[in-house]
Amino acid sequence: MSARFEELDWRSTSMGELVLRRRRLPASEIDIFEVKLGDDFLMSSMFTVAEVEMARLALAEVSGEDLDVVVGGLGLGYTAQTVLADRRVGRLVVVDALAEVIEWHRRDLVPAAASLISDERCTLVHGDFFGMLRSPSGFDASVPDRLVDAIVVDIDHSPRHVLDPAHAEFYGRDGLARVAARLRPGGVFALWSNDPPDDEFTALLADAFATAEAHVVRFPNPLQDREAAHTVYVATTPAARP
């Protein structure tokens, strides 16, 4: 491979061909890491502003110490890394459906890997986030009724553009109610979306949670010489009564 482009891993998975590649920006010493699944371009280390901001927005809504957080979707690890940067976090479980993605981190193939693997608060779990949410065991089989302070999800492109048709139910009334039921009083649910704010989805969030808001996160896209924008939805459960 050219020094400017390297395919770090290629796997055939149940969801399609999974590729991790690294390329060097022209006239720079900056390496960009990219992930593709089949024909879908999933993520790039060049555009992490929204993933980072999602974690920050979520944790800004939570009070207290020794916070218990679940992240759905590991990806390149930037959301999980930002969660761990908050010293109030006592436990982080990151769930990903692709064992290969977890392996990338354990093999230190991606930039955020070392900070996740070395942090004793962080556990990477190979599993179906949506199935675990539906399961009586939840995200911790040893404590089935365990509630958490925050659930942060970055798996599909948006509530309307999902990677697998089976995911669609999660973004409906019943799926969102299950998320709220897994949160402690004053807990928060945050969701990344590649689409502009969706009023219909925000209304569904408002039905399931005490508060719901769509945040537009803007950032420069030098590849297209324009400003880009993603959406982060943030919803909270009612606070505990004094």
Side-chain angles (χ1 to χ4, degrees):
M1 289 287 183
S2 164
R4 294 196 173 276
F5 183 90
E6 183 179 6
E7 190 173 279
L8 299 176
D9 198 19
W10 177 96
R11 305 289 186 92
S12 178
T13 76
S14 59
M15 298 177 68
E17 294 181 352
L18 181 68
V19 179
L20 172 66
R21 63 193 187 190
R22 177 176 57 199
R23 63 183 176 86
R24 179 68 56 85
L25 287 179
S28 82
E29 297 300 316
I30 299 174
D31 285 333
I32 302 298
F33 293 79
E34 299 170 330
V35 180
K36 286 191 68 179
L37 180 61
D39 293 328
D40 287 315
F41 184 82
L42 292 188
M43 62 199 73
S44 168
S45 63
M46 194 173 186
F47 306 110
T48 63
V49 173
E51 287 90 335
V52 168
E53 192 63 16
M54 174 173 61
R56 290 177 177 164
L57 286 167
L59 292 175
E61 295 292 331
V62 185
S63 60
E65 301 291 331
D66 198 26
L67 300 179
D68 201 340
V69 181
V70 172
V71 169
L74 173 58
L76 291 174
Y78 291 101
T79 297
Q81 186 180 56
T82 306
V83 170
L84 292 171
D86 191 322
R87 304 315 301 176
R88 297 177 302 149
V89 173
R91 178 175 182 265
L92 170 63
V93 173
V94 187
V95 181
D96 202 282
L98 295 170
E100 295 83 358
V101 173
I102 294 175
E103 185 182 331
W104 294 343
H105 287 75
R106 290 181 175 154
R107 292 170 56 195
D108 199 20
L109 292 180
V110 293
S115 63
L116 304 188
I117 298 300
S118 65
D119 198 315
E120 295 181 352
R121 297 172 296 162
C122 181
T123 303
L124 305 183
V125 177
H126 173 221
D128 176 7
F129 170 85
F130 304 109
M132 294 171 78
L133 182 67
R134 291 191 298 267
S135 168
S137 299
F139 301 105
D140 187 346
S142 65
V143 188
D145 296 326
R146 185 176 194 137
L147 301 181
V148 300
D149 296 290
I151 296 176
V152 181
V153 179
D154 178 3
I155 295 177
D156 293 304
H157 295 307
S158 75
R160 295 184 185 271
H161 298 94
V162 296
L163 294 175
D164 187 309
H167 298 177
E169 188 266 351
F170 171 76
Y171 302 100
R173 195 175 305 276
D174 292 343
L176 296 176
R178 278 195 290 272
V179 177
R182 290 288 179 188
L183 291 168
R184 292 172 179 157
V188 60
F189 168 54
L191 175 73
W192 176 88
S193 172
N194 191 48
D195 290 349
D198 184 325
D199 291 342
E200 184 177 338
F201 180 71
T202 305
L204 287 174
L205 279 175
D207 286 343
F209 293 85
T211 68
E213 187 174 358
H215 300 263
V216 177
V217 180
R218 304 184 188 278
F219 54 93
N221 183 341
L223 297 180
Q224 298 178 340
D225 193 26
R226 66 177 179 84
E227 184 180 68
H230 292 164
T231 302
V232 174
Y233 297 95
V234 178
T236 62
T237 58
R241 293 182 179 180

